């Protein structure tokens, strides 16, 4: 059994900035912020960490209530932002996720910084949600390595046994994806379809780095999936 854990943004899809637009719109509508402080990084980070840092960057108290209000407003804004932002499914993805979904020797899940409802909204927008089983999400953990542990736990509880780490592949587009794969002893295929150039991903010592996943046969060979 090979386990494939997918990142979402920059790996399966590009949302055209919908996530960031929705978060900023939520800051405006919920807290009356006029000038958005653009210093908070989003790439490869968990939503709970982004929400905390956005509150701090706008001098708002990081209370549980404020975190919840911002997250809920973000989730309300997201579907509309996805429609207007003009995102796309990345090359090779429809064929790969369908192929892995059909293959009884592959368990395909998610390892993403998105909160579960955000992940679902994004993937339903692109008609991809039904292809994925267990996953780890950015609802609770500020540290992506913890999300990887959550994904591994979800996979093992789905399987009812310990997973063979040598047969786990994380696919992602940022240095954080590489680091969190290593935190659970998994292999990692990095892909330069997000914001990070191929040289930066190679410097993180991913097992393989590709420009994109359009050569689906090569991807399957690299992952040892026939
Ligand atoms: Mg990503």
């Amino acid at each position: 059994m090979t386990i494939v854990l997918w990142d979402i943004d920059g790996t399966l899809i590009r949302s055209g900035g919908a996530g960031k637009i929705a978060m900023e719109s939520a800051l405006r509508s919920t807290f009356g912020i006029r000038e958005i402080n653009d210093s908070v990084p989003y790439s490869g980070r968990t939503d709970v960490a982004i929400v905390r840092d956005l509150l701090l960057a706008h001098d708002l108290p990081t209370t549980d209530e404020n975190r919840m209000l911002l997250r809920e407003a973000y989730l309300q804004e997201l579907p509309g932002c996805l429609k207007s932002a003009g995102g796309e499914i990345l090359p090779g993805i429809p064929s790969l996720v369908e192929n892995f979904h059909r293959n009884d020797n592959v368990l395909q899940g998610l390892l993403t910084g998105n909160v579960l409802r955000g992940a679902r909204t994004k993937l339903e927008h692109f008609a991809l949600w039904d292809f994925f089983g267990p996953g780890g999400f950015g609802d609770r953990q500020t540290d992506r390595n913890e999300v990887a542990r959550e994904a591994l736990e979800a996979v093992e509880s789905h399987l009812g046994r310990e997973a063979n780490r040598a047969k786990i592949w994380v696919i992602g587009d940022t240095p954080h994806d590489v680091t969190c794969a290593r935190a659970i002893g998994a292999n990692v295929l990095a892909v330069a379809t997000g914001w990070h150039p191929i040289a930066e991903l190679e410097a993180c010592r991913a097992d393989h780095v590709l420009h994109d996943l359009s050569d689906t046969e090569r991807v399957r060979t690299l992952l040892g999936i026939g």
Side-chain angles (χ1 to χ4, degrees), residues 7 9 11 173-174:
D7 168 59
D9 298 290
T11 304
D173 69 304
T174 75

Side-chain angles (χ1 to χ4, degrees), residues 7-13 42-45 111-114 144 171-174 177 194-196:
D7 168 59
I8 295 180
D9 298 290
T11 304
L12 290 171
I13 59 149
Y42 284 61
S43 174
R45 303 184 66 226
L111 198 181
T112 170
N114 283 276
R144 199 178 179 99
I171 307 180
D173 69 304
T174 75
D177 296 79
W195 297 104
H196 300 268

Side-chain angles (χ1 to χ4, degrees), residues 24-222:
E24 292 178 351
S25 172
L27 268 175
R28 288 195 187 89
S29 62
T30 309
F31 298 103
I33 302 294
R34 295 216 180 130
E35 290 274 308
I36 297 292
N37 177 337
D38 204 26
S39 66
V40 174
Y42 284 61
S43 174
R45 303 184 66 226
T46 73
D47 281 352
V48 72
I50 294 167
V51 161
R52 177 201 60 199
D53 291 353
L54 283 171
L55 291 171
L56 286 170
H58 296 88
D59 297 321
L60 295 161
T62 57
T63 57
D64 288 347
E65 191 192 2
N66 281 349
R67 288 168 194 248
M68 195 266 291
L69 283 171
L70 183 52
R71 189 185 63 209
E72 289 303 311
Y74 159 75
L75 289 166
Q76 293 300 316
E77 299 279 353
L78 188 57
C81 293
L82 283 163
K83 282 193 193 103
S84 55
E88 60 183 333
I89 301 177
L90 286 159
I93 295 302
S95 157
L96 285 169
V97 299
E98 275 178 47
N99 181 283
F100 294 167
H101 184 66
R102 261 189 279 116
N103 189 329
D104 290 339
N105 292 315
V106 176
L107 175 61
Q108 174 167 248
L110 297 167
L111 198 181
T112 170
N114 283 276
V115 292
L116 172 59
R117 282 162 60 203
R120 183 171 183 150
T121 300
K122 286 182 183 176
L123 292 180
E124 280 181 341
H125 175 78
F126 293 101
L128 291 173
W129 174 251
D130 292 338
F131 293 109
F132 302 95
F137 301 89
D139 291 73
R140 284 179 295 278
Q141 322 288 3
T142 51
D143 181 350
R144 199 178 179 99
N145 294 357
E146 294 298 325
V147 179
R149 289 185 191 102
E150 191 182 298
L152 180 61
E153 266 173 40
V155 162
E156 292 186 335
S157 107
H158 179 94
L159 292 172
R161 59 177 162 80
E162 221 173 280
N164 176 1
R165 310 295 166 95
K167 302 271 279 176
I168 304 176
W169 282 90
V170 171
I171 307 180
D173 69 304
T174 75
H176 291 299
D177 296 79
V178 181
T179 310
C180 82
R182 298 312 186 199
I184 57 167
N187 306 291
V188 51
L189 166 60
V191 60
T193 40
W195 297 104
H196 300 268
I198 204 153
E200 188 185 350
L201 297 171
E202 275 167 352
C204 302
R205 309 184 71 112
D207 294 286
H208 304 290
V209 185
L210 296 174
H211 284 285
D212 64 43
L213 304 181
S214 57
D215 186 347
T216 56
E217 210 171 305
R218 171 123 195 265
V219 174
R220 285 191 281 122
T221 304
L222 291 176

